[in-house]
Amino acid sequence: GQSLEQPSEVTAVEGAIVQINCTYQTSGFYGLSWYQQHDGGAPTFLSYNALDGLEETGRFSSFLSRSDSYGYLLLQELQMKDSASYFCAVAAMGRDDKIIFGKGTRLHILP
Amino acid sequence: KAGVTQTPRYLIKTRGQQVTLSCSPISGHRSVSWYQQTPGQGLQFLFEYFSETQRNKGNFPGRFSGRQFSNSRSEMNVSTLELGDSALYLCASSLNGGVSEKLFFGSGTQLSVL
């Protein structure tokens, strides 16, 4: 089967760095994405990793290791506005290619 | 460019009724996919439409159906509503529906079934 695991909640301090991990089980996939969703808002795209390694976009970075079936989202210089839920998603291969989302990680930021 | 628009924003129905939700994708996007979001369950894939054809379907009962019109607008229908159907229903559009493409989500329709 196909599944993704990510922590349900993470707490960090404003100005610090936090890493949100995502492990997955899928027979084949094209890449790993991350989405951010604020309370009451729409999920918004953050990043996509098709290849192993680190992708950096401003304060956010995302990492993928296909051999370890593992990825993470790294948020630096945390701001209060980063309080949100973060979802990893795999672009899974199959009879019908589809995007499968994890259950999300709620990030709490303390002042 | 206008974003993805979903209507209505909130909906209250009773068990046994049916409901139709609407989604207007970003102009030029031909793929529309639908997701059900419940607390602690993430986003569960319902189905994806491309050029008026259902291209992919998730593991939901036949009470959940959808369609796409020639202007790429999409509707989702749920018949014989159950209490467990209470959820936020999100639609997302992308240019061609490739699984590696960025998804643009609407703000969703919050459905409450009483």
Side-chain angles (χ1 to χ4, degrees):
Chain A
Q2 298 162 326
S3 65
L4 291 93
E5 295 290 331
Q6 52 180 130
S8 58
E9 290 186 84
V10 171
T11 300
V13 178
E14 189 177 16
I17 299 172
V18 72
Q19 179 174 310
I20 300 174
N21 298 321
C22 175
T23 57
Y24 56 86
Q25 286 187 333
T26 179
S27 53
F29 77 108
Y30 298 99
L32 187 73
S33 302
W34 289 91
Y35 286 80
Q36 177 193 60
Q37 185 181 29
H38 287 99
D39 284 347
T44 56
F45 173 85
L46 291 176
S47 68
Y48 177 72
N49 291 67
L51 304 174
D52 283 3
L54 194 67
E55 295 277 346
E56 297 180 72
T57 309
R59 294 187 297 113
F60 293 5
S61 303
S62 57
F63 173 83
L64 175 64
S65 168
R66 286 174 175 267
S67 58
D68 295 324
S69 297
Y70 164 74
Y72 65 73
L73 180 69
L74 191 73
L75 296 83
Q76 302 182 72
E77 299 172 22
L78 283 171
Q79 302 175 10
M80 297 305 293
K81 67 178 182 179
D82 297 330
S83 294
S85 292
Y86 293 85
F87 296 88
C88 60
V90 290
M93 294 180 188
R95 185 172 60 87
D96 301 312
D97 291 346
K98 60 181 67 170
I99 298 172
I100 302 169
F101 282 84
K103 294 183 179 181
T105 298
R106 177 75 192 189
L107 174 61
H108 303 279
I109 298 177
L110 305 175
Chain B
K1 241 184 200 181
V4 178
T5 304
Q6 289 188 248
T7 56
R9 186 72 176 93
Y10 300 94
L11 208 47
I12 299 175
K13 292 286 187 179
T14 55
R15 279 187 304 171
Q17 288 187 308
Q18 74 161 15
V19 67
T20 299
L21 314 181
S22 179
C23 174
S24 294
I26 289 173
S27 178
H29 284 193
R30 295 191 294 167
S31 169
V32 173
S33 50
W34 288 89
Y35 294 85
Q36 181 194 66
Q37 185 176 29
T38 53
Q41 291 302 310
L43 283 76
Q44 304 288 316
F45 172 73
L46 282 154
F47 28 64
E48 186 231 346
Y49 286 87
F50 180 82
S51 293
E52 302 178 66
T53 302
Q54 187 181 87
R55 196 159 64 172
N56 256 327
K57 193 176 190 311
N59 297 322
F60 278 81
R63 299 185 297 108
F64 292 81
S65 63
R67 60 177 176 168
Q68 186 180 35
F69 302 95
S70 58
N71 62 357
S72 293
R73 190 178 71 86
S74 177
E75 287 182 348
M76 190 192 98
N77 185 274
V78 188
S79 62
T80 320
L81 282 166
E82 300 177 0
L83 295 178
D85 297 333
S86 294
L88 179 67
Y89 290 89
L90 293 161
C91 84
S93 76
S94 65
L95 206 55
N96 293 308
V99 291
S100 305
E101 289 184 356
K102 181 192 303 187
L103 293 176
F104 294 83
F105 283 88
S107 295
T109 294
Q110 184 67 54
L111 172 65
S112 297
V113 182
L114 306 179

PDB file of all heavy atoms in Angstrom, chain A residues 7-43:
ATOM      1  N   PRO A   7       4.797  13.783  11.944  1.00  0.00           N
ATOM      2  CA  PRO A   7       4.348  14.017  13.323  1.00  0.00           C
ATOM      3  C   PRO A   7       3.079  14.858  13.318  1.00  0.00           C
ATOM      4  O   PRO A   7       2.885  15.714  12.459  1.00  0.00           O
ATOM      5  CB  PRO A   7       5.520  14.778  13.959  1.00  0.00           C
ATOM      6  CG  PRO A   7       6.269  15.357  12.806  1.00  0.00           C
ATOM      7  CD  PRO A   7       6.096  14.398  11.671  1.00  0.00           C
ATOM      8  N   SER A   8       2.211  14.609  14.290  1.00  0.00           N
ATOM      9  CA  SER A   8       0.948  15.351  14.311  1.00  0.00           C
ATOM     10  C   SER A   8       1.155  16.793  14.770  1.00  0.00           C
ATOM     11  O   SER A   8       0.447  17.697  14.318  1.00  0.00           O
ATOM     12  CB  SER A   8      -0.071  14.649  15.205  1.00  0.00           C
ATOM     13  OG  SER A   8       0.439  14.513  16.512  1.00  0.00           O
ATOM     14  N   GLU A   9       2.114  17.010  15.676  1.00  0.00           N
ATOM     15  CA  GLU A   9       2.349  18.361  16.174  1.00  0.00           C
ATOM     16  C   GLU A   9       3.837  18.582  16.430  1.00  0.00           C
ATOM     17  O   GLU A   9       4.551  17.649  16.811  1.00  0.00           O
ATOM     18  CB  GLU A   9       1.604  18.589  17.495  1.00  0.00           C
ATOM     19  CG  GLU A   9       0.107  18.666  17.372  1.00  0.00           C
ATOM     20  CD  GLU A   9      -0.555  19.034  18.707  1.00  0.00           C
ATOM     21  OE1 GLU A   9      -0.639  20.226  19.012  1.00  0.00           O
ATOM     22  OE2 GLU A   9      -0.953  18.106  19.419  1.00  0.00           O
ATOM     23  N   VAL A  10       4.280  19.797  16.226  1.00  0.00           N
ATOM     24  CA  VAL A  10       5.640  20.212  16.548  1.00  0.00           C
ATOM     25  C   VAL A  10       5.559  21.612  17.152  1.00  0.00           C
ATOM     26  O   VAL A  10       4.767  22.442  16.674  1.00  0.00           O
ATOM     27  CB  VAL A  10       6.529  20.230  15.287  1.00  0.00           C
ATOM     28  CG1 VAL A  10       7.876  20.868  15.576  1.00  0.00           C
ATOM     29  CG2 VAL A  10       6.722  18.818  14.733  1.00  0.00           C
ATOM     30  N   THR A  11       6.361  21.850  18.169  1.00  0.00           N
ATOM     31  CA  THR A  11       6.400  23.183  18.798  1.00  0.00           C
ATOM     32  C   THR A  11       7.816  23.729  18.722  1.00  0.00           C
ATOM     33  O   THR A  11       8.781  22.997  18.958  1.00  0.00           O
ATOM     34  CB  THR A  11       5.945  23.106  20.269  1.00  0.00           C
ATOM     35  OG1 THR A  11       4.610  22.599  20.321  1.00  0.00           O
ATOM     36  CG2 THR A  11       5.976  24.488  20.911  1.00  0.00           C
ATOM     37  N   ALA A  12       7.942  25.008  18.388  1.00  0.00           N
ATOM     38  CA  ALA A  12       9.248  25.651  18.290  1.00  0.00           C
ATOM     39  C   ALA A  12       9.122  27.106  18.735  1.00  0.00           C
ATOM     40  O   ALA A  12       8.013  27.632  18.891  1.00  0.00           O
ATOM     41  CB  ALA A  12       9.778  25.565  16.870  1.00  0.00           C
ATOM     42  N   VAL A  13      10.266  27.738  18.925  1.00  0.00           N
ATOM     43  CA  VAL A  13      10.313  29.114  19.411  1.00  0.00           C
ATOM     44  C   VAL A  13      10.561  30.080  18.253  1.00  0.00           C
ATOM     45  O   VAL A  13      11.301  29.761  17.319  1.00  0.00           O
ATOM     46  CB  VAL A  13      11.425  29.270  20.476  1.00  0.00           C
ATOM     47  CG1 VAL A  13      11.516  30.701  20.961  1.00  0.00           C
ATOM     48  CG2 VAL A  13      11.180  28.321  21.644  1.00  0.00           C
ATOM     49  N   GLU A  14       9.953  31.223  18.328  1.00  0.00           N
ATOM     50  CA  GLU A  14      10.154  32.262  17.316  1.00  0.00           C
ATOM     51  C   GLU A  14      11.640  32.539  17.119  1.00  0.00           C
ATOM     52  O   GLU A  14      12.391  32.629  18.093  1.00  0.00           O
ATOM     53  CB  GLU A  14       9.441  33.531  17.753  1.00  0.00           C
ATOM     54  CG  GLU A  14       9.373  34.629  16.704  1.00  0.00           C
ATOM     55  CD  GLU A  14       8.582  35.835  17.184  1.00  0.00           C
ATOM     56  OE1 GLU A  14       8.353  35.941  18.417  1.00  0.00           O
ATOM     57  OE2 GLU A  14       8.186  36.665  16.342  1.00  0.00           O
ATOM     58  N   GLY A  15      12.057  32.604  15.862  1.00  0.00           N
ATOM     59  CA  GLY A  15      13.444  32.865  15.545  1.00  0.00           C
ATOM     60  C   GLY A  15      14.295  31.613  15.417  1.00  0.00           C
ATOM     61  O   GLY A  15      15.421  31.661  14.896  1.00  0.00           O
ATOM     62  N   ALA A  16      13.771  30.488  15.866  1.00  0.00           N
ATOM     63  CA  ALA A  16      14.532  29.235  15.837  1.00  0.00           C
ATOM     64  C   ALA A  16      14.359  28.534  14.491  1.00  0.00           C
ATOM     65  O   ALA A  16      13.781  29.069  13.551  1.00  0.00           O
ATOM     66  CB  ALA A  16      14.069  28.329  16.983  1.00  0.00           C
ATOM     67  N   ILE A  17      14.902  27.311  14.419  1.00  0.00           N
ATOM     68  CA  ILE A  17      14.799  26.458  13.235  1.00  0.00           C
ATOM     69  C   ILE A  17      13.999  25.220  13.621  1.00  0.00           C
ATOM     70  O   ILE A  17      14.168  24.678  14.716  1.00  0.00           O
ATOM     71  CB  ILE A  17      16.198  26.026  12.745  1.00  0.00           C
ATOM     72  CG1 ILE A  17      17.031  27.240  12.345  1.00  0.00           C
ATOM     73  CG2 ILE A  17      16.084  25.047  11.577  1.00  0.00           C
ATOM     74  CD1 ILE A  17      18.481  26.915  12.030  1.00  0.00           C
ATOM     75  N   VAL A  18      13.152  24.751  12.720  1.00  0.00           N
ATOM     76  CA  VAL A  18      12.382  23.537  12.991  1.00  0.00           C
ATOM     77  C   VAL A  18      12.382  22.647  11.752  1.00  0.00           C
ATOM     78  O   VAL A  18      12.407  23.140  10.625  1.00  0.00           O
ATOM     79  CB  VAL A  18      10.946  23.872  13.437  1.00  0.00           C
ATOM     80  CG1 VAL A  18      10.103  24.381  12.271  1.00  0.00           C
ATOM     81  CG2 VAL A  18      10.269  22.664  14.066  1.00  0.00           C
ATOM     82  N   GLN A  19      12.395  21.352  12.010  1.00  0.00           N
ATOM     83  CA  GLN A  19      12.380  20.371  10.920  1.00  0.00           C
ATOM     84  C   GLN A  19      11.147  19.492  11.062  1.00  0.00           C
ATOM     85  O   GLN A  19      10.889  18.955  12.143  1.00  0.00           O
ATOM     86  CB  GLN A  19      13.646  19.512  10.989  1.00  0.00           C
ATOM     87  CG  GLN A  19      13.740  18.435   9.922  1.00  0.00           C
ATOM     88  CD  GLN A  19      15.077  17.721   9.954  1.00  0.00           C
ATOM     89  OE1 GLN A  19      16.142  18.341   9.967  1.00  0.00           O
ATOM     90  NE2 GLN A  19      15.041  16.394   9.955  1.00  0.00           N
ATOM     91  N   ILE A  20      10.396  19.344   9.999  1.00  0.00           N
ATOM     92  CA  ILE A  20       9.218  18.487   9.991  1.00  0.00           C
ATOM     93  C   ILE A  20       9.512  17.309   9.070  1.00  0.00           C
ATOM     94  O   ILE A  20       9.771  17.491   7.878  1.00  0.00           O
ATOM     95  CB  ILE A  20       7.970  19.251   9.508  1.00  0.00           C
ATOM     96  CG1 ILE A  20       7.684  20.430  10.438  1.00  0.00           C
ATOM     97  CG2 ILE A  20       6.769  18.314   9.436  1.00  0.00           C
ATOM     98  CD1 ILE A  20       6.561  21.342   9.963  1.00  0.00           C
ATOM     99  N   ASN A  21       9.482  16.111   9.637  1.00  0.00           N
ATOM    100  CA  ASN A  21       9.852  14.921   8.884  1.00  0.00           C
ATOM    101  C   ASN A  21       8.659  14.251   8.230  1.00  0.00           C
ATOM    102  O   ASN A  21       7.518  14.362   8.701  1.00  0.00           O
ATOM    103  CB  ASN A  21      10.534  13.919   9.812  1.00  0.00           C
ATOM    104  CG  ASN A  21      11.817  14.465  10.415  1.00  0.00           C
ATOM    105  OD1 ASN A  21      12.575  15.152   9.745  1.00  0.00           O
ATOM    106  ND2 ASN A  21      12.038  14.166  11.682  1.00  0.00           N
ATOM    107  N   CYS A  22       8.949  13.535   7.177  1.00  0.00           N
ATOM    108  CA  CYS A  22       7.919  12.795   6.452  1.00  0.00           C
ATOM    109  C   CYS A  22       8.533  11.502   5.944  1.00  0.00           C
ATOM    110  O   CYS A  22       9.524  11.544   5.206  1.00  0.00           O
ATOM    111  CB  CYS A  22       7.395  13.638   5.296  1.00  0.00           C
ATOM    112  SG  CYS A  22       6.196  12.794   4.213  1.00  0.00           S
ATOM    113  N   THR A  23       7.992  10.386   6.369  1.00  0.00           N
ATOM    114  CA  THR A  23       8.434   9.109   5.833  1.00  0.00           C
ATOM    115  C   THR A  23       7.285   8.509   5.022  1.00  0.00           C
ATOM    116  O   THR A  23       6.117   8.723   5.349  1.00  0.00           O
ATOM    117  CB  THR A  23       8.856   8.129   6.933  1.00  0.00           C
ATOM    118  OG1 THR A  23       7.756   7.948   7.834  1.00  0.00           O
ATOM    119  CG2 THR A  23      10.046   8.662   7.705  1.00  0.00           C
ATOM    120  N   TYR A  24       7.625   7.788   4.003  1.00  0.00           N
ATOM    121  CA  TYR A  24       6.570   7.299   3.117  1.00  0.00           C
ATOM    122  C   TYR A  24       6.828   5.863   2.702  1.00  0.00           C
ATOM    123  O   TYR A  24       7.959   5.383   2.726  1.00  0.00           O
ATOM    124  CB  TYR A  24       6.467   8.191   1.882  1.00  0.00           C
ATOM    125  CG  TYR A  24       7.757   8.334   1.116  1.00  0.00           C
ATOM    126  CD1 TYR A  24       8.124   7.413   0.146  1.00  0.00           C
ATOM    127  CD2 TYR A  24       8.627   9.391   1.390  1.00  0.00           C
ATOM    128  CE1 TYR A  24       9.327   7.532  -0.529  1.00  0.00           C
ATOM    129  CE2 TYR A  24       9.822   9.519   0.708  1.00  0.00           C
ATOM    130  CZ  TYR A  24      10.168   8.587  -0.243  1.00  0.00           C
ATOM    131  OH  TYR A  24      11.360   8.708  -0.910  1.00  0.00           O
ATOM    132  N   GLN A  25       5.743   5.224   2.345  1.00  0.00           N
ATOM    133  CA  GLN A  25       5.810   3.885   1.784  1.00  0.00           C
ATOM    134  C   GLN A  25       5.008   3.895   0.495  1.00  0.00           C
ATOM    135  O   GLN A  25       3.797   4.112   0.512  1.00  0.00           O
ATOM    136  CB  GLN A  25       5.207   2.851   2.746  1.00  0.00           C
ATOM    137  CG  GLN A  25       6.068   2.535   3.945  1.00  0.00           C
ATOM    138  CD  GLN A  25       5.513   1.392   4.774  1.00  0.00           C
ATOM    139  OE1 GLN A  25       4.308   1.155   4.784  1.00  0.00           O
ATOM    140  NE2 GLN A  25       6.374   0.681   5.469  1.00  0.00           N
ATOM    141  N   THR A  26       5.691   3.729  -0.597  1.00  0.00           N
ATOM    142  CA  THR A  26       5.005   3.660  -1.878  1.00  0.00           C
ATOM    143  C   THR A  26       5.883   2.892  -2.849  1.00  0.00           C
ATOM    144  O   THR A  26       7.105   2.965  -2.761  1.00  0.00           O
ATOM    145  CB  THR A  26       4.687   5.069  -2.429  1.00  0.00           C
ATOM    146  OG1 THR A  26       4.041   4.947  -3.692  1.00  0.00           O
ATOM    147  CG2 THR A  26       5.947   5.902  -2.604  1.00  0.00           C
ATOM    148  N   SER A  27       5.268   2.184  -3.733  1.00  0.00           N
ATOM    149  CA  SER A  27       6.031   1.322  -4.639  1.00  0.00           C
ATOM    150  C   SER A  27       6.800   2.136  -5.661  1.00  0.00           C
ATOM    151  O   SER A  27       7.815   1.700  -6.175  1.00  0.00           O
ATOM    152  CB  SER A  27       5.100   0.336  -5.335  1.00  0.00           C
ATOM    153  OG  SER A  27       4.032   1.035  -5.943  1.00  0.00           O
ATOM    154  N   GLY A  28       6.360   3.306  -5.937  1.00  0.00           N
ATOM    155  CA  GLY A  28       7.069   4.158  -6.879  1.00  0.00           C
ATOM    156  C   GLY A  28       6.474   5.542  -6.833  1.00  0.00           C
ATOM    157  O   GLY A  28       5.267   5.697  -6.616  1.00  0.00           O
ATOM    158  N   PHE A  29       7.295   6.536  -6.993  1.00  0.00           N
ATOM    159  CA  PHE A  29       6.755   7.892  -6.957  1.00  0.00           C
ATOM    160  C   PHE A  29       7.642   8.818  -7.760  1.00  0.00           C
ATOM    161  O   PHE A  29       8.820   8.541  -8.027  1.00  0.00           O
ATOM    162  CB  PHE A  29       6.601   8.376  -5.514  1.00  0.00           C
ATOM    163  CG  PHE A  29       7.885   8.790  -4.853  1.00  0.00           C
ATOM    164  CD1 PHE A  29       8.150  10.138  -4.613  1.00  0.00           C
ATOM    165  CD2 PHE A  29       8.815   7.855  -4.465  1.00  0.00           C
ATOM    166  CE1 PHE A  29       9.322  10.526  -4.008  1.00  0.00           C
ATOM    167  CE2 PHE A  29       9.992   8.233  -3.861  1.00  0.00           C
ATOM    168  CZ  PHE A  29      10.253   9.578  -3.621  1.00  0.00           C
ATOM    169  N   TYR A  30       7.060   9.925  -8.142  1.00  0.00           N
ATOM    170  CA  TYR A  30       7.776  10.913  -8.940  1.00  0.00           C
ATOM    171  C   TYR A  30       8.491  11.933  -8.069  1.00  0.00           C
ATOM    172  O   TYR A  30       9.550  12.440  -8.434  1.00  0.00           O
ATOM    173  CB  TYR A  30       6.804  11.650  -9.866  1.00  0.00           C
ATOM    174  CG  TYR A  30       6.123  10.753 -10.869  1.00  0.00           C
ATOM    175  CD1 TYR A  30       4.837  10.280 -10.644  1.00  0.00           C
ATOM    176  CD2 TYR A  30       6.767  10.376 -12.046  1.00  0.00           C
ATOM    177  CE1 TYR A  30       4.216   9.453 -11.559  1.00  0.00           C
ATOM    178  CE2 TYR A  30       6.148   9.555 -12.967  1.00  0.00           C
ATOM    179  CZ  TYR A  30       4.872   9.104 -12.716  1.00  0.00           C
ATOM    180  OH  TYR A  30       4.259   8.290 -13.621  1.00  0.00           O
ATOM    181  N   GLY A  31       7.908  12.277  -6.930  1.00  0.00           N
ATOM    182  CA  GLY A  31       8.513  13.285  -6.086  1.00  0.00           C
ATOM    183  C   GLY A  31       7.697  13.558  -4.849  1.00  0.00           C
ATOM    184  O   GLY A  31       6.618  12.990  -4.653  1.00  0.00           O
ATOM    185  N   LEU A  32       8.223  14.439  -4.006  1.00  0.00           N
ATOM    186  CA  LEU A  32       7.605  14.773  -2.726  1.00  0.00           C
ATOM    187  C   LEU A  32       7.348  16.269  -2.672  1.00  0.00           C
ATOM    188  O   LEU A  32       8.233  17.063  -2.973  1.00  0.00           O
ATOM    189  CB  LEU A  32       8.536  14.357  -1.582  1.00  0.00           C
ATOM    190  CG  LEU A  32       7.983  14.475  -0.164  1.00  0.00           C
ATOM    191  CD1 LEU A  32       6.951  13.386   0.096  1.00  0.00           C
ATOM    192  CD2 LEU A  32       9.116  14.365   0.854  1.00  0.00           C
ATOM    193  N   SER A  33       6.111  16.632  -2.291  1.00  0.00           N
ATOM    194  CA  SER A  33       5.728  18.038  -2.182  1.00  0.00           C
ATOM    195  C   SER A  33       5.417  18.397  -0.742  1.00  0.00           C
ATOM    196  O   SER A  33       5.148  17.529   0.084  1.00  0.00           O
ATOM    197  CB  SER A  33       4.462  18.322  -3.011  1.00  0.00           C
ATOM    198  OG  SER A  33       4.636  17.995  -4.353  1.00  0.00           O
ATOM    199  N   TRP A  34       5.444  19.705  -0.469  1.00  0.00           N
ATOM    200  CA  TRP A  34       5.013  20.229   0.825  1.00  0.00           C
ATOM    201  C   TRP A  34       4.013  21.354   0.602  1.00  0.00           C
ATOM    202  O   TRP A  34       4.190  22.190  -0.301  1.00  0.00           O
ATOM    203  CB  TRP A  34       6.210  20.760   1.617  1.00  0.00           C
ATOM    204  CG  TRP A  34       7.107  19.678   2.110  1.00  0.00           C
ATOM    205  CD1 TRP A  34       8.207  19.144   1.487  1.00  0.00           C
ATOM    206  CD2 TRP A  34       6.987  18.974   3.354  1.00  0.00           C
ATOM    207  NE1 TRP A  34       8.763  18.154   2.256  1.00  0.00           N
ATOM    208  CE2 TRP A  34       8.037  18.034   3.413  1.00  0.00           C
ATOM    209  CE3 TRP A  34       6.096  19.042   4.434  1.00  0.00           C
ATOM    210  CZ2 TRP A  34       8.224  17.183   4.495  1.00  0.00           C
ATOM    211  CZ3 TRP A  34       6.289  18.203   5.509  1.00  0.00           C
ATOM    212  CH2 TRP A  34       7.340  17.277   5.538  1.00  0.00           C
ATOM    213  N   TYR A  35       2.977  21.356   1.456  1.00  0.00           N
ATOM    214  CA  TYR A  35       1.947  22.394   1.406  1.00  0.00           C
ATOM    215  C   TYR A  35       1.760  22.960   2.811  1.00  0.00           C
ATOM    216  O   TYR A  35       1.887  22.246   3.809  1.00  0.00           O
ATOM    217  CB  TYR A  35       0.625  21.826   0.899  1.00  0.00           C
ATOM    218  CG  TYR A  35       0.614  21.543  -0.581  1.00  0.00           C
ATOM    219  CD1 TYR A  35       1.193  20.384  -1.086  1.00  0.00           C
ATOM    220  CD2 TYR A  35       0.048  22.443  -1.475  1.00  0.00           C
ATOM    221  CE1 TYR A  35       1.204  20.132  -2.450  1.00  0.00           C
ATOM    222  CE2 TYR A  35       0.056  22.204  -2.838  1.00  0.00           C
ATOM    223  CZ  TYR A  35       0.636  21.041  -3.321  1.00  0.00           C
ATOM    224  OH  TYR A  35       0.648  20.801  -4.673  1.00  0.00           O
ATOM    225  N   GLN A  36       1.431  24.242   2.861  1.00  0.00           N
ATOM    226  CA  GLN A  36       1.151  24.930   4.120  1.00  0.00           C
ATOM    227  C   GLN A  36      -0.324  25.303   4.147  1.00  0.00           C
ATOM    228  O   GLN A  36      -0.874  25.741   3.139  1.00  0.00           O
ATOM    229  CB  GLN A  36       2.009  26.203   4.210  1.00  0.00           C
ATOM    230  CG  GLN A  36       1.765  27.050   5.445  1.00  0.00           C
ATOM    231  CD  GLN A  36       2.406  28.429   5.307  1.00  0.00           C
ATOM    232  OE1 GLN A  36       2.080  29.194   4.405  1.00  0.00           O
ATOM    233  NE2 GLN A  36       3.327  28.756   6.217  1.00  0.00           N
ATOM    234  N   GLN A  37      -0.943  25.124   5.304  1.00  0.00           N
ATOM    235  CA  GLN A  37      -2.349  25.517   5.444  1.00  0.00           C
ATOM    236  C   GLN A  37      -2.558  26.225   6.769  1.00  0.00           C
ATOM    237  O   GLN A  37      -2.394  25.641   7.832  1.00  0.00           O
ATOM    238  CB  GLN A  37      -3.266  24.301   5.352  1.00  0.00           C
ATOM    239  CG  GLN A  37      -4.753  24.650   5.358  1.00  0.00           C
ATOM    240  CD  GLN A  37      -5.645  23.425   5.286  1.00  0.00           C
ATOM    241  OE1 GLN A  37      -5.274  22.344   5.751  1.00  0.00           O
ATOM    242  NE2 GLN A  37      -6.838  23.568   4.703  1.00  0.00           N
ATOM    243  N   HIS A  38      -2.928  27.508   6.702  1.00  0.00           N
ATOM    244  CA  HIS A  38      -3.314  28.236   7.899  1.00  0.00           C
ATOM    245  C   HIS A  38      -4.760  27.898   8.244  1.00  0.00           C
ATOM    246  O   HIS A  38      -5.548  27.499   7.371  1.00  0.00           O
ATOM    247  CB  HIS A  38      -3.166  29.746   7.688  1.00  0.00           C
ATOM    248  CG  HIS A  38      -1.749  30.200   7.658  1.00  0.00           C
ATOM    249  ND1 HIS A  38      -1.066  30.439   6.480  1.00  0.00           N
ATOM    250  CD2 HIS A  38      -0.875  30.460   8.657  1.00  0.00           C
ATOM    251  CE1 HIS A  38       0.158  30.829   6.761  1.00  0.00           C
ATOM    252  NE2 HIS A  38       0.309  30.846   8.071  1.00  0.00           N
ATOM    253  N   ASP A  39      -5.095  28.064   9.528  1.00  0.00           N
ATOM    254  CA  ASP A  39      -6.454  27.779   9.982  1.00  0.00           C
ATOM    255  C   ASP A  39      -7.472  28.542   9.130  1.00  0.00           C
ATOM    256  O   ASP A  39      -7.366  29.752   8.957  1.00  0.00           O
ATOM    257  CB  ASP A  39      -6.630  28.192  11.454  1.00  0.00           C
ATOM    258  CG  ASP A  39      -5.979  27.202  12.391  1.00  0.00           C
ATOM    259  OD1 ASP A  39      -5.621  26.102  11.936  1.00  0.00           O
ATOM    260  OD2 ASP A  39      -5.836  27.542  13.578  1.00  0.00           O
ATOM    261  N   GLY A  40      -8.438  27.802   8.610  1.00  0.00           N
ATOM    262  CA  GLY A  40      -9.488  28.418   7.806  1.00  0.00           C
ATOM    263  C   GLY A  40      -9.067  28.785   6.399  1.00  0.00           C
ATOM    264  O   GLY A  40      -9.861  29.371   5.652  1.00  0.00           O
ATOM    265  N   GLY A  41      -7.834  28.448   6.045  1.00  0.00           N
ATOM    266  CA  GLY A  41      -7.343  28.843   4.721  1.00  0.00           C
ATOM    267  C   GLY A  41      -7.143  27.675   3.784  1.00  0.00           C
ATOM    268  O   GLY A  41      -7.347  26.514   4.153  1.00  0.00           O
ATOM    269  N   ALA A  42      -6.763  27.986   2.587  1.00  0.00           N
ATOM    270  CA  ALA A  42      -6.495  26.970   1.573  1.00  0.00           C
ATOM    271  C   ALA A  42      -5.055  26.496   1.677  1.00  0.00           C
ATOM    272  O   ALA A  42      -4.159  27.292   1.981  1.00  0.00           O
ATOM    273  CB  ALA A  42      -6.750  27.548   0.183  1.00  0.00           C
ATOM    274  N   PRO A  43      -4.807  25.219   1.436  1.00  0.00           N
ATOM    275  CA  PRO A  43      -3.403  24.769   1.367  1.00  0.00           C
ATOM    276  C   PRO A  43      -2.684  25.507   0.242  1.00  0.00           C
ATOM    277  O   PRO A  43      -3.253  25.709  -0.837  1.00  0.00           O
ATOM    278  CB  PRO A  43      -3.536  23.274   1.046  1.00  0.00           C
ATOM    279  CG  PRO A  43      -4.915  22.895   1.476  1.00  0.00           C
ATOM    280  CD  PRO A  43      -5.749  24.116   1.242  1.00  0.00           C
TER     281      PRO A  43
END
